[in-house]
Amino acid sequence: MTESPVPSFDAMTRRQFLARAIGLATAANLPLASAESPRPSQQKFRAAIIGDTGHGNYGHDHDLIFSGRENITVVAVADPNESGRDKAAARSHALRRYANYREMLQQEKPQLVSVAPRWTDQHHAMALAALRVGAHVYLEKPITRTLAEADELLKVANRAGLKIAVAHQMRLAPNILFLKKSLEQGLIGELLEIRAHGKQDQRAGGEDLIVLGVHLFDLMRFFADDPLWCAARVLHDGHEITLADAHPATENIGLVAGDEIFAQFAFPRGVNATFSSRAKNRQTAGPWGLELIGTKGALKILADIFPKLYALKNGTWTANGQADEWRPLENDPTLSASETERSVARANQRVVDDWLEAIARNREPACSGYAGMKALEMALAVFAAGLSRGRVELPLKDRNHPFAPKQGEQRRRN
């Protein structure tokens, strides 16, 4: 089945573009709202923000996710750092300020809570405290440090009928939704392979895997469903990693290891995927992102808060063979999108709009806590496979961190 022609962004009115994006999202069972579409829920909410200046701060502007919403009142912000707390309160127009987030939650009883720190060491405790006062939770990614922590949050939320959203903003980017529908209509034929790589900067290896890999794994699942197993080679200074190589990351996101990673995932329907992160590969690999390879073509996603899409076009034959060229994907309705449309604020807004609609309709958000857990599971599976020198089945049976000492090992160390 071939896709019907899609008008270019320039040929479309703003309203037509938004209508098409929302239509594509609905067709993929992923509702999408935008700044100019009706709010998904006009229920009045009391919202609160939890940050920690100097220890993860407020992530990617997650203290501003409630701004400009007439039906949401930011009743308070909590931050143990006085200066940071004052600045966040001014930015978010919070009515009150607290040094202790537990006190804030007990006093204010908010219905919506943004757990904003970029570092994950407090995500579980903060989100659990918010859920226990009856609040729906928006979490900076990665969702938690371990799968056990994520599992508990999901269990508590499910029992209480509360919704968790995780800031995997690319999943709801309009051109990613457009691409999802186009793939289903046979844009590149049958999907065969996905190749992903991280930023491969000073964090190359384990930290790149956790901080940025989860975004890429979330997209892999979006396009190819849940993975079946993972195999990986993780090196540190040229040798296969052991538990002794585990160390805290530069950001407090749990233990990491390895400065070179190559991992393979098997997906249903014969789809294979890889993830790599090694500093020496940065120059030739280019910007972080992933490639989708099918029986009839290939696509590239340059990852960012607003990703860019490219298609591989056959060039002319030369003496050395056929020249191929990556070109912007034709019919991408966002090629001429404004800077505002490409901003962090708008990306967060799409996730929050969907979260609020999920609350109103009692469904799971597109960027759900479950999806956040599954992305983290893929990242931790890489460490587990690297340690075992073999293949690990998914879902992971051991929900603790792969670098956490087992009970017997802990006794011997003590």
Side-chain angles (χ1 to χ4, degrees), residues 10 13 21 31 70 78 81 84 96 131 138 151-152 163 165 181 189 217 268 276 279 294 303 335 372 382 390 393 413:
D10 290 333
T13 66
E70 295 180 358
N81 181 284
R96 288 171 287 281
L131 292 169
Y138 177 101
D151 290 344
E152 182 177 14
K163 308 302 178 186
K181 189 63 178 176
F217 298 144
S276 61
L335 287 175
V382 174
E393 302 297 318
R413 290 184 183 187

Side-chain angles (χ1 to χ4, degrees), residues 153-365:
L153 295 184
L154 296 179
K155 183 177 180 180
V156 172
N158 288 339
R159 283 182 174 176
L162 299 169
K163 308 302 178 186
I164 298 174
V166 179
H168 287 148
Q169 299 96 333
M170 281 193 290
R171 180 181 278 245
L172 282 175
N175 54 358
I176 294 297
L177 296 176
F178 172 84
L179 177 59
K180 169 78 168 178
K181 189 63 178 176
S182 298
L183 291 172
E184 292 171 352
Q185 295 177 342
L187 178 63
I188 60 172
E190 179 185 353
L191 179 62
L192 300 176
E193 187 175 345
I194 304 174
R195 301 172 184 170
H197 62 269
K199 280 194 175 181
Q200 305 182 124
D201 53 14
Q202 71 277 5
R203 299 168 293 182
E207 191 158 352
D208 196 12
L209 171 76
I210 298 298
V211 175
L212 297 163
V214 290
H215 276 302
L216 302 178
F217 298 144
D218 184 59
L219 290 181
M220 285 186 186
R221 290 187 61 252
F222 188 45
F223 296 126
D225 209 348
D226 284 338
L228 306 173
W229 53 261
C230 171
R233 188 182 192 198
V234 183
L235 302 178
H236 176 76
D237 285 343
H239 68 262
E240 306 274 354
I241 63 164
T242 67
L243 286 175
D245 294 306
H247 61 274
T250 56
E251 298 183 8
N252 202 333
I253 55 172
L255 294 173
V256 298
D259 49 28
E260 296 189 35
I261 288 175
F262 181 82
Q264 179 184 0
F265 294 91
F267 286 87
R269 297 175 293 279
V271 177
N272 296 310
T274 59
F275 171 85
S276 61
S277 178
R278 52 198 311 190
K280 63 182 69 172
N281 191 42
R282 185 181 185 188
Q283 184 171 348
T284 54
W288 71 296
L290 52 82
E291 295 179 22
L292 304 170
I293 300 167
T295 55
K296 297 180 180 178
L299 297 165
K300 180 178 288 189
I301 301 173
L302 300 188
D304 205 341
I305 201 73
F306 194 95
K308 297 178 182 178
L309 307 182
Y310 291 85
L312 188 62
K313 298 294 184 181
N314 289 333
T316 58
W317 284 95
T318 68
N320 297 322
Q322 190 176 18
D324 292 326
E325 179 183 0
W326 289 104
R327 301 177 187 173
L329 179 64
E330 295 176 3
N331 299 328
D332 178 350
T334 68
L335 287 175
S336 300
S338 68
E339 288 303 311
T340 298
E341 193 68 30
R342 298 172 183 273
S343 67
V344 172
R346 190 61 57 86
N348 288 338
Q349 186 177 59
R350 285 188 283 267
V351 179
V352 173
D353 280 350
D354 178 81
W355 177 44
L356 295 178
E357 185 177 279
I359 294 168
R361 297 188 179 184
N362 193 28
R363 63 162 174 83
E364 280 299 289

